[in-house]
Amino acid sequence: MKKTEMTAMARVLTAIGHQEADRIPFFLLLTMHGAGFLDMSIREYFSKAENVARGQLFMRARYGHDCIYAFFYAAIEIQAWGGEIIWSDSGPPNAGEPFLRNAENIRSLSPPKVRETDCLCRVLQAIAILKEQCKDEVPIIGVVMSPFSLPVMQMGFDRYIELIYEQPELFRHLMKINEAFCTDWANAQVAAGAAAICYFDPVSSASIIPPAMYAGTGFEIAQRTLARIKAPTASHMASGRCLPIVHQIAQTGTALVGVSTQEDLAEFKKLCAGKICLFGNLNGIEMQRWTQKDAETKVKEAIAAAGQGGGFILSDNHGEIPWQVSDETLMHISEAVRTWGRYPLIWTKHDT
Amino acid sequence: MKKYSEILEQALLSLDRTGAWEVLEENAKDHPAIRVIEQILVPAMERIGEGWEQGRIALSQVYMSGRICEELADRLLPAEAAERKNRPRMAICVLEDYHLLGKRIVYAALRAAAYELKDYGRVTADELLSLVREDCIEILLISVLMLPSALQVKKVTEKFREKGMNIRVIVGGAPFLFDRELWKTVGADAMGKNAGDALQLISEMRGNMTGDAP
């Protein structure tokens, strides 16, 4: 029997509750694309909260996905700390040269005040506009970089790895500072209207640090930080592998975990069914050259692997769909979810 | 030497600098340094690279072990040593963005394998063209993290072709790992999946270059 059409919020909450909604919820984690629809440069688009709010509303109306993504760009946090960012016409702005030129600078570091920082206030304003428009029909997702992953941009990846291995005291000091900032930043977004916070933590992934090291670093940091965030969280490894640590991730108190396209979604589902909701794992990089058939095939494969019984939200695997992915492809993905994502997923038993 | 290479690999993954040096030093008593590097150190680095690609080893271990390897290879075979490989002329760079880790890993692996190469750091496509021409580079390694930077490689390879410059381009980095066809789209000659892979590709290219057998 066909289920009654749910609101996006009800659909997502049902999936997170490990039940089958009317259909598979899907998140198109779109950021820059709004600039294209408003016919402006990426830089101009992100210069005003109103642009981003308009862009997000337009894209949700067009593709019908189940979230509003209040993420501007990853380097915004570096901008907030006084770091340089480099704008691009064809991608998100990139963090410039790391502002912590040597590890000793950590000792005198203090975090920015969220409500006194222009770029962060723009995000809060965008969330507030979106909340006013959407009420509780669709979840607005705020975003933070984890305290453990932010230093890649603060001090450079190589120096940060050296810090973790060779200067544990300074590393702990940096984490304390970053945890305070991350919590304030997340809670400000929640206060502005975000229903959930996506906690980007690629350094915790097994692609970046050994699982044994995660236990004493990213895991403990996430436990402390997520406990202080006043909304549900989704942990995202931004394409990094996390199957070897997924049980620990579940113990951080997070409600969802993002799955890499390099991992077996069905295996994740077996391990996580009823415990933690999965989201992923469409390949955002390949997506730029997908045909309609590719989009349909990939959507079907993901749904067949993880859709049964709820506990799954379809999305890309990186948390930011590249600028190069066309409107046409996004429409194909959206159509494929509507065609193949309706519960009950009887077809998955016969045809994948 | 396979046994020693495996012992070295374990020492590197445990960040045991002393243990790693002892393996190399012990073998260098009976064999030329270049042979110790090529038959013990390089295979260890190649296995670590493969381990990362297969998800068994983390990037932080690859980076830290590469750094140790570079340092130990320098002790074993100093930069001015005649056995170090100065040909073909090679350079490595990061295109456009500030994500330098991949380049540092590959640079360390190549130096540890006794190759000498130029490190251009972070460059734009236009800067790269003049640097490569000035230094008569034959093999260029380009590391990227972001998709827009990966797509910039096409601009570089097209310019090389326009100017009739015969330069082999090896690309590496996340976008190429997530889309295994992308290196062809941007006109590269090869894609290195990890630092060990880059070593193998360079060895093959050296073999194919006239008058410069590996």
Side-chain angles (χ1 to χ4, degrees), chain B residues 95-182:
Chain B
L95 203 54
E96 305 284 349
D97 63 40
Y98 272 98
H99 299 282
L100 304 176
L101 187 70
K103 175 185 74 69
R104 282 209 59 180
I105 289 172
V106 176
Y107 180 78
L110 290 174
R111 289 221 58 255
Y115 288 105
E116 288 301 318
L117 71 162
K118 300 257 182 196
D119 181 357
Y120 290 154
R122 172 188 180 264
V123 287
T124 63
D126 290 332
E127 286 164 348
L128 188 56
L129 189 74
S130 56
L131 283 169
V132 160
R133 183 183 282 158
E134 210 171 284
D135 294 329
C136 302
I137 295 302
E138 295 162 275
I139 298 179
L140 176 66
L141 297 108
I142 304 178
S143 170
V144 301
L145 182 74
M146 313 289 281
L147 179 61
S149 311
L151 298 172
Q152 283 286 311
V153 175
K154 192 168 187 182
K155 195 171 155 189
V156 173
T157 55
E158 279 174 354
K159 279 195 178 168
F160 287 165
R161 285 192 185 104
E162 268 170 35
K163 309 272 179 195
M165 295 160 77
N166 185 23
I167 295 160
R168 309 281 182 88
V169 175
I170 301 175
V171 291
F176 299 108
L177 292 177
F178 283 95
D179 183 350
R180 297 295 171 108
E181 297 297 311
L182 188 60

Side-chain angles (χ1 to χ4, degrees), chain A residues 12 15-18 24-27 233-236 242-243 246-247 249-250 254-260 263-282 302-303 305-317 343:
Chain A
V12 169
I16 294 173
H18 303 278
I24 299 268
F26 74 113
F27 289 173
T233 57
S235 295
H236 204 310
C242 65
L243 190 65
V246 72
H247 287 302
I249 293 174
T254 200
L256 295 97
V257 64
V259 180
S260 170
E263 293 185 298
D264 185 339
L265 190 55
E267 204 179 336
F268 259 90
K269 181 71 176 188
K270 269 189 220 155
L271 284 172
C272 299
K275 295 176 192 145
I276 187 165
C277 182
L278 305 176
F279 67 115
N281 70 343
L282 302 177
I303 290 174
Q308 289 287 353
F312 177 61
I313 296 170
L314 184 79
S315 77
D316 72 293
N317 91 127
Y343 283 111

Side-chain angles (χ1 to χ4, degrees), chain A residues 86 90 94-97 157-158 162 165-166 206-210 239 241 261 283 285-286 288-289 322 324, chain B residues 15 52-53 55 58-61 63-64 67 97-99 101 104 122 146-148 151 175 178-179 181-182:
Chain A
I86 300 164
S90 58
N94 226 326
E97 194 164 346
F157 216 150
D158 46 357
E162 290 163 18
Y165 280 98
E166 295 169 351
S207 303
I208 308 291
I209 59 159
S239 308
R241 292 181 170 105
T261 197
N283 186 331
I285 301 290
E286 271 187 9
Q288 56 151 341
R289 59 178 173 83
Q324 288 73 16
Chain B
L15 307 189
W52 179 70
E53 199 205 334
L59 193 64
S60 63
Q61 293 171 296
Y63 171 66
M64 294 301 281
R67 218 174 59 136
D97 63 40
Y98 272 98
H99 299 282
L101 187 70
R104 282 209 59 180
R122 172 188 180 264
M146 313 289 281
L147 179 61
L151 298 172
F178 283 95
D179 183 350
E181 297 297 311
L182 188 60

Side-chain angles (χ1 to χ4, degrees), chain A residues 30 66 80 110 112 116 137 145 155 158-159 177 206 257 279:
Chain A
L30 296 163
D66 296 298
S110 59
E116 294 172 16
E137 293 225 330
M145 294 301 124
M155 62 189 302
D158 46 357
R159 275 184 289 168
I177 297 167
V257 64
F279 67 115

Side-chain angles (χ1 to χ4, degrees), chain A residues 28-59:
Chain A
L28 290 180
L29 300 176
L30 296 163
T31 58
M32 305 151 271
H33 285 71
F37 290 118
L38 298 190
D39 198 22
M40 54 179 68
S41 71
I42 291 170
R43 185 172 192 166
E44 187 186 356
Y45 178 70
F46 287 119
S47 69
K48 285 195 178 128
E50 292 81 359
N51 295 342
V52 176
R54 272 177 66 206
Q56 283 294 321
L57 292 170
F58 181 88
M59 291 189 286

